[in-house]
Amino acid sequence: MMMWWFITTLAITAFFYNSPVYAYDNNPLQDICVAVSDSHASVFVNGKICKDPKLATPNDFYFSGLNVSGNAAPKSGVAVKLVDVNSMPGLNTLGISVSRLDFEPLSLFPLHAHPRASALITILEGSIYVGLFVPDPANFFKSRLFSKILNPGDVFVFPKGLIHFLYNIGNKKATSLIYYNSQNPGVISIPNSIFASKPPVPDDVLAKGFQLNKIQIAQLRKKFS
Ligand SMILES: *[C@@H]1O[C@H](CO)[C@@H](O)[C@H](O)[C@H]1NC(C)=O
């Protein structure tokens, strides 16, 4: 009896760990696995085909340009420059990436989560108020907000999959570096994924889900579309 229980648990665990939906970055099985540059040669499990190791070059392991900010997104005032497997093919299968985030004064990186990575932020310049929503295991309907004002040299971690935000509360620009334990951390913007999905979520679902009326839902949809 015990043995069957054990085997069943093992089989279920093996299934979930091998299922693409639950894909995490694997540990490397080889010294290097430089991604081929063919954009169609992607495997749907967060990885790319390796080029012949003999053809790898120093530039596959190199990126230049994090010394300058990216372009700020029109509405938000936050600029993201991401160095992931797409911009640095040598990251393939290594489970690591980095980004530079620049914030205009009073700009917000809205509520979001990274489905495949924890994110470790360090502030280089300015002051950023960060908030992390931690589910309350004692009450499914509540969460705890862990927040901090971060100054240069401060480090904060956002655990994989948890919702968080970053807000430049200073009156000058802020700059930060963020490291991810994924070659392709992904991002889910909470407001946009809910109010700007295609096709749209039925009004009833949003109205009931957020306890708002349909006019309010229409206004929210408009803001995020
Ligand atoms: C950033 O680094 C690149 C490459 O090293 C260099 O060419 C460029 O002048 C630098 N830009 C600034 C603003 O420091």
Side-chain angles (χ1 to χ4, degrees), residues 62 64-65 67-68:
Y62 174 77
S64 175
N67 58 335
V68 289

Side-chain angles (χ1 to χ4, degrees), residues 21-218:
V21 179
Y22 293 88
Y24 294 128
D25 292 23
N26 296 317
N27 288 323
L29 299 174
Q30 64 290 309
D31 287 338
I32 63 171
C33 173
V34 176
V36 295
S37 61
D38 180 356
S39 63
H40 297 293
S42 305
V43 184
F44 285 112
V45 285
N46 193 9
K48 291 176 186 284
I49 295 164
C50 318
K51 66 154 85 155
D52 181 344
K54 288 197 285 292
L55 302 178
T57 68
N59 276 343
D60 291 330
F61 298 85
Y62 174 77
F63 179 93
S64 175
L66 277 197
N67 58 335
V68 289
S69 166
N71 297 321
K75 280 186 195 164
S76 78
V78 180
V80 180
K81 201 178 241 187
L82 174 65
V83 185
D84 64 0
V85 67
N86 296 309
S87 43
M88 193 170 157
L91 290 180
N92 198 34
T93 79
L94 299 188
I96 192 167
S97 55
V98 62
S99 71
R100 171 178 169 151
L101 259 66
D102 290 85
F103 298 78
E104 295 293 332
L106 299 180
S107 65
L108 172 75
F109 196 124
L111 298 167
H112 68 283
H114 304 288
R116 290 176 292 278
S118 296
L120 190 69
I121 183 170
T122 184
I123 309 302
L124 303 178
E125 252 183 80
S127 294
I128 296 176
Y129 171 66
V130 296
L132 165 70
F133 296 90
V134 178
D136 182 350
N139 187 342
F140 184 72
F141 295 101
K142 299 253 188 230
S143 69
R144 289 181 294 163
L145 175 66
F146 290 179
S147 66
K148 273 281 189 194
I149 293 172
L150 304 180
N151 293 303
D154 290 352
V155 177
F156 196 87
V157 66
F158 304 109
K160 183 184 326 208
L162 297 193
I163 299 171
H164 56 279
F165 63 84
L166 305 99
Y167 188 23
N168 179 2
I169 53 167
N171 54 10
K172 58 175 192 163
K173 288 190 179 193
T175 300
S176 63
L177 282 181
I178 305 185
Y179 287 86
Y180 309 90
N181 63 337
S182 168
Q183 66 182 35
N184 177 18
V187 62
I188 300 166
S189 163
I190 307 299
N192 292 76
S193 57
I194 292 168
F195 292 105
S197 71
K198 287 204 171 81
V201 190
D203 279 0
D204 279 349
V205 172
L206 293 178
K208 286 186 177 168
F210 289 96
Q211 303 190 7
L212 296 171
N213 63 44
K214 288 189 183 173
I215 293 164
Q216 291 165 319
I217 294 299

Side-chain angles (χ1 to χ4, degrees), residues 4-17:
W4 278 114
W5 182 85
F6 177 74
I7 290 170
T8 309
T9 309
L10 205 68
I12 292 170
T13 310
F15 172 79
F16 279 111
Y17 277 89

